[in-house]
Amino acid sequence: MKLDKKEILKALEHITVPGEGQNMVESGAVTNIQVFGDEVEVDITIKNPSLQARKKTEVEILKIIHEKVYAKAKIKVNLKVEASSKPKVNEIKGKPIPGIQNIIAVASGKGGVGKSTVTANLAVTLAKMGFKVGLLDTDIYGPSMPIMFDVALEKPLSINVDGKNKMKPVENYGVKLLSIGFFTQPNQAVIWRGPMASKALNQMIFDAHWDELDFLLLDLPPGTGDIHLSIMQSLPVTGAVVVSTPQEIALADARKGVAMFQQEAINVPVLGIVENMAYFTPAELPDNKYHIFGKDGAKHLAEDLKVPFLGEIPLVQSIREAGDVGRPAALQTATPTEEAFEELTKNVVQELVNRNTALPPTEAIKITTMAGCSAVKNK
């Protein structure tokens, strides 16, 4: 007897796909049917990977064809499992902090690339643009922000907020600041294991009264360790900025820093890469550029990893001096340094806007003001 393909399809409409609620013809689970006289070969794709679902599907196909089409049909079922693929999106993780719109983590794969300097200048530039800015120094073992903001001798005050005692961040240059450096002596080493450091960090995050902020910048320690994981688990980080110098040894670690944020378990959007100490220009020869650590290394890395290149910061003595005296170099008006940090900051904000537009808006990521950032609007 020659079997009819249409009759077989009609029979298979009586079978429901496991876990989907549709019959297997409607759902597209039947991908192919071949008939050779009284022999029939059915190709099926289901999304339920369990052995029970596969066995049930195969038994039901044999039974329905024998009942509805031909009792003596010789049937072969080729069953393929295709796990349902959810589109990969940048997820918002962690517990939102009321009033904080965007949380940006500034990281580097290794130390010594000027990550804290970039973070401090990014913070004051955002404040100059009219944003409300906070900065959390998450480097428990080597805090540097109190010195960079000239507040090393300050202490956060305890204030009462809704019946609870909260830390009031120290403020300077329009930036609210918290650091473990406020709670230790200058010559005191912090010798803590990971869990202790993470607990102290959580206290600075959730026991602080940050009030309303457009941006909270996180100055992460070098590497990819306990502090980084604690941050990703605790906070809805909006995006990450990775800082590197152009030299190959720094780029190798910057690549790992980007990879950390892009891991499926973390999945934090990388807003881009900053090339710090990109070139040296002596004051007496302002038109000369000497690429001491190599040329365009971070720019090429950004292209290779398909993440935005946010800009380059020159190796300038005044940037180092400004950090040492506690007045970030971006506060120096009408200088090439100020221009470099302004361009970097505008690019960071633009990438943040792009990232927030690409995701469903939530209170954790929505920008409420673009005051003072006209260059971003004009792009």
Side-chain angles (χ1 to χ4, degrees), residues 118 121-122 124-129 310-314 329-350 372-376 379:
V118 169
N121 283 282
L122 180 60
V124 297
T125 305
L126 284 168
K128 281 167 62 180
M129 288 177 171
L310 298 172
E312 54 184 24
I313 305 300
L331 295 169
Q332 300 165 5
T333 57
T335 63
T337 299
E338 182 193 38
E339 289 177 13
F341 282 116
E342 280 187 352
E343 184 64 24
L344 164 64
T345 306
K346 290 169 187 173
N347 289 339
V348 170
V349 174
Q350 183 61 61
C373 205
S374 57
V376 172
K379 280 193 175 184

PDB file of all heavy atoms in Angstrom, residues 118 121-122 124-129 310-314 329-350 372-376 379:
ATOM      1  N   VAL A 118      41.619  58.371  35.572  1.00  0.00           N
ATOM      2  CA  VAL A 118      40.565  58.522  34.564  1.00  0.00           C
ATOM      3  C   VAL A 118      39.201  58.636  35.246  1.00  0.00           C
ATOM      4  O   VAL A 118      38.377  59.476  34.881  1.00  0.00           O
ATOM      5  CB  VAL A 118      40.587  57.346  33.570  1.00  0.00           C
ATOM      6  CG1 VAL A 118      39.335  57.347  32.691  1.00  0.00           C
ATOM      7  CG2 VAL A 118      41.836  57.415  32.687  1.00  0.00           C
ATOM      8  N   ASN A 121      38.707  62.112  36.935  1.00  0.00           N
ATOM      9  CA  ASN A 121      38.500  63.184  35.952  1.00  0.00           C
ATOM     10  C   ASN A 121      37.184  63.023  35.204  1.00  0.00           C
ATOM     11  O   ASN A 121      36.557  64.015  34.828  1.00  0.00           O
ATOM     12  CB  ASN A 121      39.684  63.235  34.982  1.00  0.00           C
ATOM     13  CG  ASN A 121      40.907  63.885  35.596  1.00  0.00           C
ATOM     14  OD1 ASN A 121      40.997  65.105  35.700  1.00  0.00           O
ATOM     15  ND2 ASN A 121      41.853  63.066  36.041  1.00  0.00           N
ATOM     16  N   LEU A 122      36.761  61.787  35.002  1.00  0.00           N
ATOM     17  CA  LEU A 122      35.444  61.538  34.403  1.00  0.00           C
ATOM     18  C   LEU A 122      34.348  62.063  35.337  1.00  0.00           C
ATOM     19  O   LEU A 122      33.379  62.700  34.897  1.00  0.00           O
ATOM     20  CB  LEU A 122      35.280  60.036  34.157  1.00  0.00           C
ATOM     21  CG  LEU A 122      33.979  59.542  33.532  1.00  0.00           C
ATOM     22  CD1 LEU A 122      33.750  60.162  32.163  1.00  0.00           C
ATOM     23  CD2 LEU A 122      33.992  58.019  33.419  1.00  0.00           C
ATOM     24  N   VAL A 124      34.536  64.506  37.720  1.00  0.00           N
ATOM     25  CA  VAL A 124      34.456  65.972  37.822  1.00  0.00           C
ATOM     26  C   VAL A 124      33.963  66.584  36.510  1.00  0.00           C
ATOM     27  O   VAL A 124      33.287  67.619  36.524  1.00  0.00           O
ATOM     28  CB  VAL A 124      35.809  66.600  38.249  1.00  0.00           C
ATOM     29  CG1 VAL A 124      36.216  66.125  39.630  1.00  0.00           C
ATOM     30  CG2 VAL A 124      36.907  66.336  37.232  1.00  0.00           C
ATOM     31  N   THR A 125      34.264  65.939  35.382  1.00  0.00           N
ATOM     32  CA  THR A 125      33.772  66.458  34.097  1.00  0.00           C
ATOM     33  C   THR A 125      32.260  66.294  34.000  1.00  0.00           C
ATOM     34  O   THR A 125      31.559  67.186  33.524  1.00  0.00           O
ATOM     35  CB  THR A 125      34.468  65.744  32.922  1.00  0.00           C
ATOM     36  OG1 THR A 125      35.895  65.865  33.066  1.00  0.00           O
ATOM     37  CG2 THR A 125      34.065  66.375  31.591  1.00  0.00           C
ATOM     38  N   LEU A 126      31.742  65.157  34.450  1.00  0.00           N
ATOM     39  CA  LEU A 126      30.288  64.970  34.483  1.00  0.00           C
ATOM     40  C   LEU A 126      29.636  66.016  35.380  1.00  0.00           C
ATOM     41  O   LEU A 126      28.577  66.571  35.046  1.00  0.00           O
ATOM     42  CB  LEU A 126      29.950  63.563  34.999  1.00  0.00           C
ATOM     43  CG  LEU A 126      30.149  62.409  34.020  1.00  0.00           C
ATOM     44  CD1 LEU A 126      30.068  61.072  34.759  1.00  0.00           C
ATOM     45  CD2 LEU A 126      29.122  62.444  32.891  1.00  0.00           C
ATOM     46  N   ALA A 127      30.264  66.306  36.515  1.00  0.00           N
ATOM     47  CA  ALA A 127      29.726  67.319  37.430  1.00  0.00           C
ATOM     48  C   ALA A 127      29.745  68.701  36.780  1.00  0.00           C
ATOM     49  O   ALA A 127      28.796  69.485  36.920  1.00  0.00           O
ATOM     50  CB  ALA A 127      30.525  67.327  38.738  1.00  0.00           C
ATOM     51  N   LYS A 128      30.815  69.005  36.041  1.00  0.00           N
ATOM     52  CA  LYS A 128      30.897  70.284  35.328  1.00  0.00           C
ATOM     53  C   LYS A 128      29.803  70.398  34.265  1.00  0.00           C
ATOM     54  O   LYS A 128      29.323  71.491  33.960  1.00  0.00           O
ATOM     55  CB  LYS A 128      32.272  70.412  34.650  1.00  0.00           C
ATOM     56  CG  LYS A 128      33.398  70.821  35.593  1.00  0.00           C
ATOM     57  CD  LYS A 128      34.766  70.627  34.951  1.00  0.00           C
ATOM     58  CE  LYS A 128      34.936  71.475  33.720  1.00  0.00           C
ATOM     59  NZ  LYS A 128      36.271  71.280  33.098  1.00  0.00           N
ATOM     60  N   MET A 129      29.404  69.275  33.697  1.00  0.00           N
ATOM     61  CA  MET A 129      28.353  69.270  32.682  1.00  0.00           C
ATOM     62  C   MET A 129      26.955  69.442  33.283  1.00  0.00           C
ATOM     63  O   MET A 129      25.984  69.576  32.551  1.00  0.00           O
ATOM     64  CB  MET A 129      28.398  67.950  31.895  1.00  0.00           C
ATOM     65  CG  MET A 129      29.567  67.837  30.948  1.00  0.00           C
ATOM     66  SD  MET A 129      29.574  66.207  30.127  1.00  0.00           S
ATOM     67  CE  MET A 129      30.861  66.467  28.896  1.00  0.00           C
ATOM     68  N   LEU A 310      36.562  54.974  23.236  1.00  0.00           N
ATOM     69  CA  LEU A 310      36.024  56.176  23.869  1.00  0.00           C
ATOM     70  C   LEU A 310      36.939  57.384  23.780  1.00  0.00           C
ATOM     71  O   LEU A 310      36.491  58.512  23.976  1.00  0.00           O
ATOM     72  CB  LEU A 310      35.710  55.885  25.342  1.00  0.00           C
ATOM     73  CG  LEU A 310      34.641  54.809  25.576  1.00  0.00           C
ATOM     74  CD1 LEU A 310      34.566  54.459  27.057  1.00  0.00           C
ATOM     75  CD2 LEU A 310      33.291  55.260  25.057  1.00  0.00           C
ATOM     76  N   GLY A 311      38.216  57.167  23.496  1.00  0.00           N
ATOM     77  CA  GLY A 311      39.118  58.301  23.387  1.00  0.00           C
ATOM     78  C   GLY A 311      40.482  58.023  23.988  1.00  0.00           C
ATOM     79  O   GLY A 311      40.709  56.980  24.608  1.00  0.00           O
ATOM     80  N   GLU A 312      41.373  58.974  23.790  1.00  0.00           N
ATOM     81  CA  GLU A 312      42.735  58.816  24.292  1.00  0.00           C
ATOM     82  C   GLU A 312      43.093  60.000  25.188  1.00  0.00           C
ATOM     83  O   GLU A 312      42.710  61.136  24.931  1.00  0.00           O
ATOM     84  CB  GLU A 312      43.726  58.691  23.139  1.00  0.00           C
ATOM     85  CG  GLU A 312      43.673  59.809  22.115  1.00  0.00           C
ATOM     86  CD  GLU A 312      44.601  59.578  20.943  1.00  0.00           C
ATOM     87  OE1 GLU A 312      44.948  58.407  20.672  1.00  0.00           O
ATOM     88  OE2 GLU A 312      44.984  60.580  20.305  1.00  0.00           O
ATOM     89  N   ILE A 313      43.819  59.683  26.259  1.00  0.00           N
ATOM     90  CA  ILE A 313      44.277  60.691  27.216  1.00  0.00           C
ATOM     91  C   ILE A 313      45.798  60.735  27.142  1.00  0.00           C
ATOM     92  O   ILE A 313      46.469  59.703  27.256  1.00  0.00           O
ATOM     93  CB  ILE A 313      43.832  60.339  28.653  1.00  0.00           C
ATOM     94  CG1 ILE A 313      42.314  60.145  28.728  1.00  0.00           C
ATOM     95  CG2 ILE A 313      44.291  61.417  29.625  1.00  0.00           C
ATOM     96  CD1 ILE A 313      41.497  61.347  28.340  1.00  0.00           C
ATOM     97  N   PRO A 314      46.377  61.921  26.945  1.00  0.00           N
ATOM     98  CA  PRO A 314      47.839  62.005  26.806  1.00  0.00           C
ATOM     99  C   PRO A 314      48.570  61.792  28.134  1.00  0.00           C
ATOM    100  O   PRO A 314      47.978  61.897  29.218  1.00  0.00           O
ATOM    101  CB  PRO A 314      48.050  63.430  26.283  1.00  0.00           C
ATOM    102  CG  PRO A 314      46.861  64.196  26.776  1.00  0.00           C
ATOM    103  CD  PRO A 314      45.717  63.227  26.781  1.00  0.00           C
ATOM    104  N   ALA A 329      42.819  67.068  37.023  1.00  0.00           N
ATOM    105  CA  ALA A 329      43.293  67.917  35.929  1.00  0.00           C
ATOM    106  C   ALA A 329      42.174  68.429  35.034  1.00  0.00           C
ATOM    107  O   ALA A 329      42.321  69.461  34.380  1.00  0.00           O
ATOM    108  CB  ALA A 329      44.314  67.142  35.085  1.00  0.00           C
ATOM    109  N   ALA A 330      41.048  67.732  34.984  1.00  0.00           N
ATOM    110  CA  ALA A 330      39.936  68.177  34.145  1.00  0.00           C
ATOM    111  C   ALA A 330      39.346  69.492  34.622  1.00  0.00           C
ATOM    112  O   ALA A 330      38.598  70.146  33.888  1.00  0.00           O
ATOM    113  CB  ALA A 330      38.846  67.105  34.112  1.00  0.00           C
ATOM    114  N   LEU A 331      39.695  69.917  35.839  1.00  0.00           N
ATOM    115  CA  LEU A 331      39.227  71.197  36.362  1.00  0.00           C
ATOM    116  C   LEU A 331      40.037  72.365  35.827  1.00  0.00           C
ATOM    117  O   LEU A 331      39.657  73.532  36.016  1.00  0.00           O
ATOM    118  CB  LEU A 331      39.274  71.193  37.897  1.00  0.00           C
ATOM    119  CG  LEU A 331      38.322  70.203  38.589  1.00  0.00           C
ATOM    120  CD1 LEU A 331      38.639  70.103  40.073  1.00  0.00           C
ATOM    121  CD2 LEU A 331      36.868  70.619  38.385  1.00  0.00           C
ATOM    122  N   GLN A 332      41.180  72.070  35.172  1.00  0.00           N
ATOM    123  CA  GLN A 332      41.997  73.131  34.577  1.00  0.00           C
ATOM    124  C   GLN A 332      41.305  73.606  33.299  1.00  0.00           C
ATOM    125  O   GLN A 332      41.151  72.835  32.353  1.00  0.00           O
ATOM    126  CB  GLN A 332      43.400  72.606  34.251  1.00  0.00           C
ATOM    127  CG  GLN A 332      44.157  72.086  35.463  1.00  0.00           C
ATOM    128  CD  GLN A 332      45.378  71.253  35.078  1.00  0.00           C
ATOM    129  OE1 GLN A 332      45.710  71.139  33.893  1.00  0.00           O
ATOM    130  NE2 GLN A 332      46.037  70.670  36.060  1.00  0.00           N
ATOM    131  N   THR A 333      40.887  74.846  33.286  1.00  0.00           N
ATOM    132  CA  THR A 333      40.090  75.344  32.153  1.00  0.00           C
ATOM    133  C   THR A 333      40.972  75.735  30.972  1.00  0.00           C
ATOM    134  O   THR A 333      42.121  76.149  31.137  1.00  0.00           O
ATOM    135  CB  THR A 333      39.251  76.561  32.578  1.00  0.00           C
ATOM    136  OG1 THR A 333      40.117  77.571  33.100  1.00  0.00           O
ATOM    137  CG2 THR A 333      38.231  76.170  33.628  1.00  0.00           C
ATOM    138  N   ALA A 334      40.380  75.570  29.772  1.00  0.00           N
ATOM    139  CA  ALA A 334      41.014  75.985  28.513  1.00  0.00           C
ATOM    140  C   ALA A 334      42.383  75.348  28.313  1.00  0.00           C
ATOM    141  O   ALA A 334      43.350  75.998  27.911  1.00  0.00           O
ATOM    142  CB  ALA A 334      41.119  77.508  28.445  1.00  0.00           C
ATOM    143  N   THR A 335      42.483  74.046  28.597  1.00  0.00           N
ATOM    144  CA  THR A 335      43.734  73.316  28.388  1.00  0.00           C
ATOM    145  C   THR A 335      43.459  72.087  27.532  1.00  0.00           C
ATOM    146  O   THR A 335      42.327  71.583  27.493  1.00  0.00           O
ATOM    147  CB  THR A 335      44.342  72.858  29.730  1.00  0.00           C
ATOM    148  OG1 THR A 335      43.427  71.939  30.354  1.00  0.00           O
ATOM    149  CG2 THR A 335      44.596  74.037  30.663  1.00  0.00           C
ATOM    150  N   PRO A 336      44.481  71.576  26.845  1.00  0.00           N
ATOM    151  CA  PRO A 336      44.300  70.327  26.079  1.00  0.00           C
ATOM    152  C   PRO A 336      43.840  69.167  26.968  1.00  0.00           C
ATOM    153  O   PRO A 336      43.092  68.300  26.523  1.00  0.00           O
ATOM    154  CB  PRO A 336      45.691  70.065  25.502  1.00  0.00           C
ATOM    155  CG  PRO A 336      46.358  71.405  25.455  1.00  0.00           C
ATOM    156  CD  PRO A 336      45.824  72.142  26.649  1.00  0.00           C
ATOM    157  N   THR A 337      44.274  69.170  28.226  1.00  0.00           N
ATOM    158  CA  THR A 337      43.859  68.109  29.162  1.00  0.00           C
ATOM    159  C   THR A 337      42.360  68.165  29.413  1.00  0.00           C
ATOM    160  O   THR A 337      41.671  67.139  29.376  1.00  0.00           O
ATOM    161  CB  THR A 337      44.621  68.250  30.492  1.00  0.00           C
ATOM    162  OG1 THR A 337      46.018  68.118  30.245  1.00  0.00           O
ATOM    163  CG2 THR A 337      44.189  67.188  31.480  1.00  0.00           C
ATOM    164  N   GLU A 338      41.839  69.356  29.666  1.00  0.00           N
ATOM    165  CA  GLU A 338      40.404  69.516  29.869  1.00  0.00           C
ATOM    166  C   GLU A 338      39.644  69.048  28.633  1.00  0.00           C
ATOM    167  O   GLU A 338      38.625  68.350  28.732  1.00  0.00           O
ATOM    168  CB  GLU A 338      40.057  70.973  30.166  1.00  0.00           C
ATOM    169  CG  GLU A 338      38.570  71.192  30.439  1.00  0.00           C
ATOM    170  CD  GLU A 338      38.167  72.650  30.419  1.00  0.00           C
ATOM    171  OE1 GLU A 338      38.700  73.407  29.573  1.00  0.00           O
ATOM    172  OE2 GLU A 338      37.306  73.033  31.235  1.00  0.00           O
ATOM    173  N   GLU A 339      40.123  69.407  27.445  1.00  0.00           N
ATOM    174  CA  GLU A 339      39.468  69.008  26.194  1.00  0.00           C
ATOM    175  C   GLU A 339      39.448  67.492  26.040  1.00  0.00           C
ATOM    176  O   GLU A 339      38.445  66.913  25.612  1.00  0.00           O
ATOM    177  CB  GLU A 339      40.196  69.641  24.996  1.00  0.00           C
ATOM    178  CG  GLU A 339      40.003  71.145  24.878  1.00  0.00           C
ATOM    179  CD  GLU A 339      40.808  71.728  23.732  1.00  0.00           C
ATOM    180  OE1 GLU A 339      41.309  70.935  22.881  1.00  0.00           O
ATOM    181  OE2 GLU A 339      40.959  72.965  23.680  1.00  0.00           O
ATOM    182  N   ALA A 340      40.578  66.849  26.378  1.00  0.00           N
ATOM    183  CA  ALA A 340      40.664  65.387  26.246  1.00  0.00           C
ATOM    184  C   ALA A 340      39.654  64.695  27.151  1.00  0.00           C
ATOM    185  O   ALA A 340      38.963  63.758  26.728  1.00  0.00           O
ATOM    186  CB  ALA A 340      42.084  64.922  26.568  1.00  0.00           C
ATOM    187  N   PHE A 341      39.544  65.165  28.387  1.00  0.00           N
ATOM    188  CA  PHE A 341      38.593  64.535  29.313  1.00  0.00           C
ATOM    189  C   PHE A 341      37.144  64.872  28.957  1.00  0.00           C
ATOM    190  O   PHE A 341      36.247  64.062  29.164  1.00  0.00           O
ATOM    191  CB  PHE A 341      38.907  64.938  30.756  1.00  0.00           C
ATOM    192  CG  PHE A 341      40.067  64.178  31.351  1.00  0.00           C
ATOM    193  CD1 PHE A 341      41.236  64.829  31.724  1.00  0.00           C
ATOM    194  CD2 PHE A 341      40.003  62.796  31.511  1.00  0.00           C
ATOM    195  CE1 PHE A 341      42.306  64.127  32.256  1.00  0.00           C
ATOM    196  CE2 PHE A 341      41.078  62.080  32.041  1.00  0.00           C
ATOM    197  CZ  PHE A 341      42.226  62.751  32.409  1.00  0.00           C
ATOM    198  N   GLU A 342      36.915  66.050  28.418  1.00  0.00           N
ATOM    199  CA  GLU A 342      35.556  66.401  27.976  1.00  0.00           C
ATOM    200  C   GLU A 342      35.118  65.506  26.815  1.00  0.00           C
ATOM    201  O   GLU A 342      33.983  65.029  26.777  1.00  0.00           O
ATOM    202  CB  GLU A 342      35.489  67.876  27.568  1.00  0.00           C
ATOM    203  CG  GLU A 342      35.366  68.821  28.759  1.00  0.00           C
ATOM    204  CD  GLU A 342      35.132  70.256  28.332  1.00  0.00           C
ATOM    205  OE1 GLU A 342      35.213  70.548  27.110  1.00  0.00           O
ATOM    206  OE2 GLU A 342      34.873  71.097  29.212  1.00  0.00           O
ATOM    207  N   GLU A 343      36.027  65.292  25.861  1.00  0.00           N
ATOM    208  CA  GLU A 343      35.703  64.424  24.725  1.00  0.00           C
ATOM    209  C   GLU A 343      35.433  63.003  25.191  1.00  0.00           C
ATOM    210  O   GLU A 343      34.482  62.351  24.747  1.00  0.00           O
ATOM    211  CB  GLU A 343      36.870  64.435  23.730  1.00  0.00           C
ATOM    212  CG  GLU A 343      36.622  63.656  22.450  1.00  0.00           C
ATOM    213  CD  GLU A 343      35.498  64.227  21.604  1.00  0.00           C
ATOM    214  OE1 GLU A 343      35.193  65.432  21.726  1.00  0.00           O
ATOM    215  OE2 GLU A 343      34.914  63.446  20.818  1.00  0.00           O
ATOM    216  N   LEU A 344      36.263  62.506  26.108  1.00  0.00           N
ATOM    217  CA  LEU A 344      36.059  61.173  26.674  1.00  0.00           C
ATOM    218  C   LEU A 344      34.699  61.077  27.361  1.00  0.00           C
ATOM    219  O   LEU A 344      33.941  60.124  27.131  1.00  0.00           O
ATOM    220  CB  LEU A 344      37.172  60.861  27.680  1.00  0.00           C
ATOM    221  CG  LEU A 344      36.926  59.683  28.630  1.00  0.00           C
ATOM    222  CD1 LEU A 344      36.831  58.383  27.851  1.00  0.00           C
ATOM    223  CD2 LEU A 344      38.002  59.611  29.703  1.00  0.00           C
ATOM    224  N   THR A 345      34.364  62.074  28.177  1.00  0.00           N
ATOM    225  CA  THR A 345      33.117  62.041  28.942  1.00  0.00           C
ATOM    226  C   THR A 345      31.897  62.088  28.029  1.00  0.00           C
ATOM    227  O   THR A 345      30.919  61.365  28.241  1.00  0.00           O
ATOM    228  CB  THR A 345      33.081  63.213  29.945  1.00  0.00           C
ATOM    229  OG1 THR A 345      34.267  63.168  30.750  1.00  0.00           O
ATOM    230  CG2 THR A 345      31.862  63.130  30.848  1.00  0.00           C
ATOM    231  N   LYS A 346      31.962  62.935  26.993  1.00  0.00           N
ATOM    232  CA  LYS A 346      30.849  62.996  26.039  1.00  0.00           C
ATOM    233  C   LYS A 346      30.643  61.647  25.355  1.00  0.00           C
ATOM    234  O   LYS A 346      29.506  61.208  25.153  1.00  0.00           O
ATOM    235  CB  LYS A 346      31.111  64.086  24.997  1.00  0.00           C
ATOM    236  CG  LYS A 346      31.016  65.497  25.546  1.00  0.00           C
ATOM    237  CD  LYS A 346      31.536  66.507  24.538  1.00  0.00           C
ATOM    238  CE  LYS A 346      31.607  67.905  25.159  1.00  0.00           C
ATOM    239  NZ  LYS A 346      32.266  68.875  24.258  1.00  0.00           N
ATOM    240  N   ASN A 347      31.738  60.987  25.020  1.00  0.00           N
ATOM    241  CA  ASN A 347      31.633  59.667  24.371  1.00  0.00           C
ATOM    242  C   ASN A 347      31.047  58.632  25.319  1.00  0.00           C
ATOM    243  O   ASN A 347      30.255  57.773  24.903  1.00  0.00           O
ATOM    244  CB  ASN A 347      33.006  59.222  23.867  1.00  0.00           C
ATOM    245  CG  ASN A 347      33.489  60.025  22.673  1.00  0.00           C
ATOM    246  OD1 ASN A 347      32.676  60.638  21.968  1.00  0.00           O
ATOM    247  ND2 ASN A 347      34.788  60.057  22.452  1.00  0.00           N
ATOM    248  N   VAL A 348      31.433  58.685  26.589  1.00  0.00           N
ATOM    249  CA  VAL A 348      30.882  57.748  27.576  1.00  0.00           C
ATOM    250  C   VAL A 348      29.378  57.955  27.711  1.00  0.00           C
ATOM    251  O   VAL A 348      28.600  56.995  27.695  1.00  0.00           O
ATOM    252  CB  VAL A 348      31.572  57.922  28.954  1.00  0.00           C
ATOM    253  CG1 VAL A 348      30.827  57.135  30.036  1.00  0.00           C
ATOM    254  CG2 VAL A 348      33.024  57.458  28.887  1.00  0.00           C
ATOM    255  N   VAL A 349      28.954  59.223  27.818  1.00  0.00           N
ATOM    256  CA  VAL A 349      27.525  59.513  27.967  1.00  0.00           C
ATOM    257  C   VAL A 349      26.762  59.077  26.716  1.00  0.00           C
ATOM    258  O   VAL A 349      25.669  58.505  26.803  1.00  0.00           O
ATOM    259  CB  VAL A 349      27.299  61.010  28.255  1.00  0.00           C
ATOM    260  CG1 VAL A 349      25.808  61.336  28.266  1.00  0.00           C
ATOM    261  CG2 VAL A 349      27.911  61.397  29.597  1.00  0.00           C
ATOM    262  N   GLN A 350      27.354  59.334  25.541  1.00  0.00           N
ATOM    263  CA  GLN A 350      26.679  58.931  24.305  1.00  0.00           C
ATOM    264  C   GLN A 350      26.516  57.417  24.224  1.00  0.00           C
ATOM    265  O   GLN A 350      25.451  56.907  23.858  1.00  0.00           O
ATOM    266  CB  GLN A 350      27.477  59.423  23.084  1.00  0.00           C
ATOM    267  CG  GLN A 350      26.814  59.111  21.750  1.00  0.00           C
ATOM    268  CD  GLN A 350      25.451  59.779  21.614  1.00  0.00           C
ATOM    269  OE1 GLN A 350      25.353  60.995  21.660  1.00  0.00           O
ATOM    270  NE2 GLN A 350      24.405  58.983  21.460  1.00  0.00           N
ATOM    271  N   GLY A 372      23.587  70.347  30.417  1.00  0.00           N
ATOM    272  CA  GLY A 372      24.989  70.701  30.238  1.00  0.00           C
ATOM    273  C   GLY A 372      25.725  69.840  29.265  1.00  0.00           C
ATOM    274  O   GLY A 372      26.932  70.006  29.073  1.00  0.00           O
ATOM    275  N   CYS A 373      25.048  68.901  28.624  1.00  0.00           N
ATOM    276  CA  CYS A 373      25.752  67.975  27.726  1.00  0.00           C
ATOM    277  C   CYS A 373      25.285  68.181  26.297  1.00  0.00           C
ATOM    278  O   CYS A 373      24.896  67.244  25.614  1.00  0.00           O
ATOM    279  CB  CYS A 373      25.505  66.533  28.167  1.00  0.00           C
ATOM    280  SG  CYS A 373      26.819  65.425  27.642  1.00  0.00           S
ATOM    281  N   SER A 374      25.319  69.412  25.834  1.00  0.00           N
ATOM    282  CA  SER A 374      24.790  69.748  24.523  1.00  0.00           C
ATOM    283  C   SER A 374      25.507  69.022  23.405  1.00  0.00           C
ATOM    284  O   SER A 374      24.923  68.695  22.379  1.00  0.00           O
ATOM    285  CB  SER A 374      24.872  71.258  24.290  1.00  0.00           C
ATOM    286  OG  SER A 374      26.215  71.688  24.432  1.00  0.00           O
ATOM    287  N   ALA A 375      26.797  68.748  23.617  1.00  0.00           N
ATOM    288  CA  ALA A 375      27.554  68.068  22.551  1.00  0.00           C
ATOM    289  C   ALA A 375      26.999  66.694  22.267  1.00  0.00           C
ATOM    290  O   ALA A 375      27.033  66.205  21.146  1.00  0.00           O
ATOM    291  CB  ALA A 375      29.016  67.955  22.947  1.00  0.00           C
ATOM    292  N   VAL A 376      26.467  66.035  23.306  1.00  0.00           N
ATOM    293  CA  VAL A 376      25.867  64.707  23.123  1.00  0.00           C
ATOM    294  C   VAL A 376      24.602  64.820  22.307  1.00  0.00           C
ATOM    295  O   VAL A 376      24.329  64.035  21.421  1.00  0.00           O
ATOM    296  CB  VAL A 376      25.578  64.048  24.480  1.00  0.00           C
ATOM    297  CG1 VAL A 376      24.793  62.776  24.296  1.00  0.00           C
ATOM    298  CG2 VAL A 376      26.884  63.782  25.212  1.00  0.00           C
ATOM    299  N   LYS A 379      25.065  65.177  18.490  1.00  0.00           N
ATOM    300  CA  LYS A 379      25.701  64.099  17.731  1.00  0.00           C
ATOM    301  C   LYS A 379      24.678  63.411  16.842  1.00  0.00           C
ATOM    302  O   LYS A 379      23.541  63.290  17.190  1.00  0.00           O
ATOM    303  CB  LYS A 379      26.337  63.083  18.661  1.00  0.00           C
ATOM    304  CG  LYS A 379      27.692  63.569  19.175  1.00  0.00           C
ATOM    305  CD  LYS A 379      28.443  62.414  19.837  1.00  0.00           C
ATOM    306  CE  LYS A 379      29.832  62.840  20.235  1.00  0.00           C
ATOM    307  NZ  LYS A 379      30.624  61.752  20.774  1.00  0.00           N
TER     308      LYS A 379
END
